Structure formats: C-alpha cells, structure tokens
Amino acid sequence: DYRGPEALCMLQEEVMNALFTRTSVRAYQNDALKPEEIRRILQAGFCAPSARNARPWYFIVIQEKEKLAQLSRFSPYASFLKEAAMGILVCGDRSRNPSLDYCEQDCAAATQNMMVEANDLGIGSCWLGGYPNEERVLFLKKALQVEEPLIPLWMIAFGHPKEQPSVKDKWEEDRIRFV
C-alpha cells in the first residue's frame, strides 16, 4: 500500500523520534504492562540484525514482584528493578552461536530494539549491565536457574515512567571524522 513520500517521511520521523527521545528510566508507576505491549517489545528484539542470522538471544521475562525484588540485588545499580513492571534477562545462546563475542553483539542489537520499541509505546526502560562481571552472572544464573548453553548477559527494566524524563542532546560532532 503506497501512500506517497509524505507518509514515508512522517513514518521515518516517528521512528527517529523513538530513537532520539529514548532515555534511561529508573522510576516507575505501580502498574502492569499489557500483554500486547510485552509482545511488541519482544517482537522488536527478534527483529534485530544477527551475525549469520544465528539469532542467539534468549529472553527470560520476569513480572513477579518478589522475583524482581530479588533480582534488584544482582548489581549495586539495580535497586529500582523492584519497582519495574517487568524485567527481561537477556541471555546469549551458545548453541546458536558458540562465539560469545557475536552473541553479545547480536543481543545488544536486540536489547536496543526492545528499548526503542518500549519508548515508542510510552514505556520506560533501563539497561542493567551483568556480563562480564562474574558475580553478577552467577547471581542471575542461580536466581533464574539459567544453565548452559545460555549465558546471562544483562537485565532490562521496563515500566511506565513515574515522570517524564528529560532527554539529553547527545550529539557530539567532534567525535566524527569523514575520510
């Protein structure tokens, strides 16, 4: 269905706004995400590019408040996870790609996609680093019973923001070189 160049420009602007306005959110309202919102976020992750199309991601979705409270202790920077409506543990699946480096890259692309889609839906998110910190990885493995060939990489917190976070201008022209 071709709607002309104006419609395409509007669509591109909406997509870019989702990228330009995404920011880390660490304070959430006390409400659940809708199943269709969760599905859209996960679908966005599955749309990520992947080396050799291996798609080595595996997502563990956590919505139980007790489990989110437990997981909020996996890192000194994760305390707000207990307030989130949902957490996703992003794992690399080495049965799909034995190279952990490529698993990390592919899972990072999937993570970014999920966070941008969440922002587009009015849902805040924050990426919480785990791998390569061995203590954090071990905590996540034990807490969520993750076994080989899966490797816990990081958590993402999701929820409706308590307040609208300000967006920073991150443009740094001096960090670009054309040759």
Side-chain angles (χ1 to χ4, degrees), residues 137-149:
V137 170
L138 185 59
F139 186 105
L140 293 168
K141 277 184 176 182
K142 286 182 178 179
L144 294 169
Q145 301 164 352
V146 177
E147 296 180 5
E148 291 287 338

Side-chain angles (χ1 to χ4, degrees), residues 48-83:
S50 170
R52 296 186 321 223
N53 199 31
R55 300 180 317 249
W57 40 73
Y58 188 92
F59 307 125
I60 299 175
V61 180
I62 304 100
Q63 295 176 277
E64 293 177 17
K65 284 296 187 184
E66 287 178 22
K67 188 56 81 172
L68 288 168
Q70 177 190 10
L71 293 170
S72 74
R73 298 188 308 270
F74 95 93
S75 160
Y77 309 104
S79 62
F80 59 89
L81 188 57
K82 63 181 167 269
E83 296 175 20

Side-chain angles (χ1 to χ4, degrees), residues 44-45 48-50 57 104-114 127 154:
S50 170
W57 40 73
E104 284 182 272
Q105 292 172 36
D106 293 350
C107 289
T111 297
Q112 180 73 12
N113 277 13
M114 289 189 285
W127 188 329
W154 46 75

Side-chain angles (χ1 to χ4, degrees), residues 24-35:
S24 294
V25 173
R26 295 177 178 86
Y28 306 102
Q29 297 176 27
N30 190 22
D31 59 348
L33 300 183
K34 297 173 186 161

